[in-house]
């Protein structure tokens, strides 16, 4: 059991491309992430780990993941990554994973566990959690009933926009599974390039903005979330793009 609160930084939708200086959505995505991480490192609030939830590359190229790796490796903390619809998982395994950068299913920091899911549908913009992913999630929840659980994926379950590419197609099935396990405390996702803070039956659901598609500003508060979790605590909304710690003593159903 860790006596120190777990501090997490969540980034998503970094959209790194192979060509230096090239822009995505009118922004040099590499420079934007580089600036954000530099400000993060100067902040006295020091994270224990970083979670990156997909669309890490814009073009799925080996070089894009090598460039991303060059930014993440010097941080000096574990980094856990999952793919989004723009990513190529095989290239992530070959050119991103290694050293402090992990493509993992589960991270344990007692009394918390973090479960990371792959919602990618190759060649499509929308997301879907396969039977394999949902089974892995349920097995993790069944094996650790006493651990508060944070679930991470690229395509979140909230109806943020009505367009089909925005959606997790089996969101209702995913949420129904979460509802069955009272130790589920929260979920974090990206994909929608905006900040959302919502609750579903007592489960705190957060969507984090892109690191590069928010005006290109490199400010720490613009393209990341930071959270401190201790026991049953989970963040409540703070400034745009940031979650400050707030106590939720026990899970309760709310609508």
């Amino acid at each position: 059991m860790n006596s120190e609160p777990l501090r997490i930084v969540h980034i998503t939708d970094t959209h790194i491309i192979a060509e230096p200086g090239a822009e995505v959505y009118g922004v040099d995505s590499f420079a934007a992430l580089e600036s954000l991480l530099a400000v993060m490192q100067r902040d006295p609030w020091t994270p224990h780990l970083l979670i990156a939830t997909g669309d890490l590359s814009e073009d799925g190229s080996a070089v894009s993941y090598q460039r991303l790796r060059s930014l993440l490796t010097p941080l000096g903390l574990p980094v856990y990554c999952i793919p989004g619809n723009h990513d190529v998982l095989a290239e992530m395994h070959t050119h991103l994973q290694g050293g402090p950068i992990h493509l993992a299913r589960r991270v344990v920091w007692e009394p918390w566990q973090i479960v990371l899911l792959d919602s990618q549908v190759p060649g499509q913009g929308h997301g879907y959690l396969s039977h394999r992913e949902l089974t892995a999630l349920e097995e993790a929840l069944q094996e650790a009933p006493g651990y508060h659980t944070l679930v991470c994926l690229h395509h979140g379950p909230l109806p943020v926009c009505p367009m089909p590419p925005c959606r997790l197609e089996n969101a209702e099935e995913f949420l129904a599974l979460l509802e069955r396990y009272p130790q589920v405390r929260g979920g974090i996702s990206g994909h929608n390039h905006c900040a959302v803070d919502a609750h579903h039956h007592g489960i705190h659901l957060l969507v984090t903005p892109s690191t590069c598609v928010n005006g290109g500003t490199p400010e720490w508060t613009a393209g990341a979330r930071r959270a401190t979790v201790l026991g049953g605590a989970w963040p409540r909304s703070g400034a745009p793009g940031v979650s400050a710690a707030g106590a939720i003593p026990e899970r309760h159903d709310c609508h």
Side-chain angles (χ1 to χ4, degrees):
M1 182 75 68
N2 291 286
S3 59
E4 186 178 11
L6 171 59
R7 297 185 296 275
I8 300 169
V9 167
H10 176 217
I11 63 171
T12 190
D13 296 85
T14 54
H15 291 285
I16 304 300
I17 52 180
E19 183 181 354
E23 296 183 346
V24 179
Y25 305 106
V27 176
D28 183 335
S29 57
F30 182 90
L33 178 60
E34 183 178 39
S35 297
L36 183 145
L37 294 175
V39 175
M40 182 194 84
Q41 289 184 288
R42 294 194 297 268
D43 195 304
W45 189 93
T46 305
H48 292 106
L49 57 88
L50 184 146
I51 297 172
T53 57
D55 280 3
L56 306 181
S57 170
E58 172 68 10
D59 56 17
S61 65
V63 174
S64 68
Y65 293 117
Q66 292 165 358
R67 297 185 75 209
L68 177 59
R69 182 176 173 80
S70 74
L71 294 180
L72 298 179
T73 299
L75 295 178
L77 69 157
V79 177
Y80 297 93
C81 301
I82 52 177
N85 49 287
H86 282 270
D87 290 305
V88 177
L89 189 56
E91 300 289 356
M92 291 175 67
H93 277 284
T94 303
H95 298 286
L96 181 60
Q97 180 178 233
I101 303 174
H102 309 274
L103 303 178
R105 170 71 73 195
R106 181 171 177 258
V107 183
V108 174
W109 181 286
E110 294 183 350
W112 281 83
Q113 71 167 340
I114 301 167
V115 181
L116 299 108
L117 302 176
D118 180 357
S119 61
Q120 184 191 69
V121 180
Q124 301 296 320
H126 67 269
Y128 185 86
L129 289 170
S130 67
H131 176 74
R132 176 182 176 181
E133 294 299 303
L134 292 173
T135 298
L137 172 59
E138 188 149 33
E139 287 176 350
L141 293 170
Q142 290 173 346
E143 291 169 6
Y147 283 28
H148 302 292
T149 300
L150 171 66
V151 182
C152 311
L153 67 167
H154 180 66
H155 302 83
L158 297 172
V160 175
C161 83
M163 298 176 62
C166 296
R167 300 173 184 166
L168 178 69
E169 283 201 340
N170 55 340
E172 291 184 2
E173 182 182 10
F174 170 61
L175 290 172
L177 192 160
L178 298 186
E179 291 169 26
R180 295 199 295 270
Y181 293 90
Q183 73 266 37
V184 177
R185 306 295 295 158
I188 55 175
S189 61
H191 188 58
N192 297 116
H193 295 182
C194 63
V196 179
D197 186 323
H199 288 80
H200 176 84
H201 291 275
I203 302 167
H204 201 158
L205 300 175
L206 299 169
V207 180
T208 296
S210 165
T211 58
C212 66
V213 195
N214 300 287
T217 57
E219 298 160 0
W220 169 224
T221 58
R225 285 190 187 271
R226 58 183 183 179
T228 302
V229 294
L230 173 63
W234 179 244
R236 296 184 187 276
S237 59
V242 176
S243 292
I248 304 176
E250 61 182 20
R251 178 169 149 187
H252 55 281
D253 288 342
C254 59
H255 301 273

